Amino acid sequence: MPSFAGIDIGGTKCAVVLGTPKEDTIEILAKEKFPTMVGDSYGTLEMLSEALKKLIKESRLSFGGFQGIGISCGGPLDSKTGMILSPPNLPEWDHIPAAAYFQSAFQVPAVLDPDAVVIGSIFARSRNLLWDACDEVMKRECLPGTYAHCRVLPSKLGDTVGDLAALSVTIDACDKGGCPS
């Protein structure tokens, strides 16, 4: 079974995970998390890189023993260039080439994809603020007959939401032909 790496970059916490798809879920093989170095984007990228190297060694994977790296980060992002553009929760992270950084360091495809969004946990904490916007999207995107049955369910994943989002980004990219076999 192929393995993937996920990198979750948040305003307060960063995490690195190794995982593998299992039927309808993702099994996390190893994980390390630490506080984000606020205002030091490249220092944080280096810490993430070192943490991933450590997980690879501990998991006894070869250096290229995984198919790709998915990066989960709040936007704005540019998926075509792999750039973190200037998220409000990450001061001084302006035009940071995160995908290129990890692709160069590990010699596997790295994907930063703003289209892969996990909202359940955020929605659960901010229901009153988000309901009108979510309802509008569901009205627009759902088939008219199924709109009455659409709802947003809160995530029960806690602090693993970003980790799984990062792994999902790379698994999805590889499924679309973005990773070598």
Side-chain angles (χ1 to χ4, degrees):
M1 186 65 70
S3 294
F4 301 89
I7 294 175
D8 179 25
I9 303 171
T12 59
K13 164 202 77 90
C14 288
V16 177
V17 295
L18 290 174
T20 189
K22 295 277 184 178
E23 295 177 24
D24 289 341
T25 189
I26 300 170
E27 178 185 354
I28 294 180
L29 304 172
K31 176 179 175 176
E32 184 166 325
K33 64 181 181 176
F34 53 86
T36 303
M37 295 173 60
V38 177
D40 186 359
S41 56
Y42 285 98
T44 300
L45 293 179
E46 183 61 30
M47 285 180 67
L48 288 162
S49 180
E50 291 303 314
L52 182 52
K53 288 175 188 173
K54 178 182 167 198
L55 292 183
I56 291 167
K57 184 177 180 182
E58 290 173 356
S59 300
R60 300 182 193 269
L61 287 174
S62 62
F63 194 68
F66 54 96
Q67 287 192 305
I69 300 170
I71 304 164
S72 171
C73 182
L77 310 171
D78 184 335
S79 61
K80 287 186 179 21
T81 64
M83 293 266 193
I84 298 172
L85 296 178
S86 202
N89 65 331
L90 293 168
E92 300 180 30
W93 285 65
D94 190 28
H95 289 85
I96 303 301
Y101 180 91
F102 291 108
Q103 189 163 324
S104 174
F106 293 94
Q107 300 300 301
V108 296
V111 182
L112 177 70
D113 188 350
D115 294 332
V117 177
V118 178
I119 66 164
S121 180
I122 296 165
F123 184 83
R125 290 188 299 257
S126 305
R127 183 177 195 96
N128 292 338
L129 296 173
L130 297 175
W131 179 249
D132 289 341
C134 286
D135 189 50
E136 196 58 42
V137 170
M138 288 190 296
K139 282 180 188 173
R140 188 174 57 247
E141 299 294 328
C142 293
L143 295 172
T146 60
Y147 169 70
H149 302 287
C150 289
R151 62 189 185 277
V152 177
L153 300 174
S155 169
K156 304 247 189 275
L157 299 174
D159 71 351
T160 62
V161 168
D163 307 337
L164 294 173
L167 288 168
S168 297
V169 165
T170 192
I171 291 167
D172 184 57
C174 288
D175 285 348
K176 293 177 182 172
C179 293
S181 325

